Amino acid sequence: MRSEQEVVRAINQYSDTVRRLCMIRLKNHADSEDIFQTVFLKYALSSVAFKSDEHEKAWIIRVTLNACKDFLKSFSRQHTVSLEELIDKPEEIPPDFRYVLEAVLSLEQKYRDVVYLHFYENYTAVEISKILGKNVNTVYTLLHRSKQMLKEKLGGAYDE
């Protein structure tokens, strides 16, 4: 395990390189930040002795590329589509799902947030309360109300 000073030095020295590689590979800022953290965590926990700065840089680059490759191959990454992608390509959305998506997107932001986090990201009400900084009971209430609104909008055709 490396010292805090070594890790801070490596982050200062290689952060731009890692971020650029991640953005080129992943084309997504949030995913790039996740991989950035993964790379430097692996660096901090690694006991590899580097022969030179070039060897260290090559190791960082290789770990970054491998982490990006692993992320892109992951099951969840291959089987999810962002809402933005769906909205940009309406012809690719199955008609039944388009109907549900439009109903969800028509909700007020506070309801849309809890619906998205609960049903699409599979967070519990307790986790959502921490993410949104709301009381757990408030989250339960928002979920209940959003379900009622969706039932009304969808005419009872879809249940959760």
Side-chain angles (χ1 to χ4, degrees):
M1 195 159 133
R2 301 189 188 287
S3 70
E4 185 178 342
Q5 291 83 10
E6 285 180 283
V7 175
V8 169
R9 179 201 51 79
I11 291 171
N12 289 334
Q13 191 168 351
Y14 302 116
S15 62
D16 289 341
T17 302
V18 171
R19 280 196 174 100
R20 281 193 294 264
L21 283 170
C22 289
M23 283 301 292
I24 288 169
R25 290 289 176 119
L26 305 176
K27 297 171 181 64
N28 179 310
H29 180 71
D31 295 338
S32 295
E33 287 301 311
D34 288 345
I35 298 301
F36 178 89
Q37 291 177 12
T38 300
V39 168
F40 287 106
L41 178 62
K42 284 182 181 181
Y43 177 84
L45 299 175
S46 169
S47 59
V48 174
F50 300 110
K51 299 174 189 166
S52 65
D53 285 346
E54 285 75 29
H55 181 222
E56 181 181 52
K57 184 176 182 178
W59 186 90
I60 295 267
I61 289 170
R62 178 54 35 212
V63 169
T64 302
L65 295 174
N66 286 341
C68 289
K69 186 171 110 180
D70 291 345
F71 177 79
L72 291 171
K73 287 190 322 187
S74 70
F75 179 83
S76 63
R77 173 74 177 166
Q78 291 178 357
H79 293 87
T80 58
V81 178
S82 72
L83 289 176
E84 291 82 17
E85 287 179 291
L86 286 176
I87 293 167
D88 291 343
K89 301 176 185 176
E91 68 280 355
E92 294 181 20
I93 304 172
D96 289 347
F97 187 73
R98 186 176 316 130
Y99 186 57
V100 173
L101 179 62
E102 287 171 359
V104 170
L105 292 175
S106 71
L107 295 173
E108 272 183 63
Q109 187 68 46
K110 63 184 178 181
Y111 298 113
R112 201 176 344 161
D113 290 343
V114 295
V115 166
Y116 177 77
L117 291 171
H118 183 70
F119 293 105
Y120 293 93
E121 297 294 333
N122 296 316
Y123 285 110
T124 65
V126 173
E127 293 168 326
I128 294 169
S129 74
K130 291 176 184 172
I131 292 169
L132 299 178
K134 295 183 184 287
N135 184 298
V136 177
N137 290 331
T138 303
V139 172
Y140 281 121
T141 301
L142 292 171
L143 277 170
H144 178 74
R145 288 179 184 167
S146 62
K147 287 178 191 178
Q148 294 301 322
M149 286 184 245
L150 287 171
K151 282 183 183 179
E152 288 174 22
K153 289 178 186 286
L154 298 172
Y158 297 93
D159 287 326
E160 297 183 28

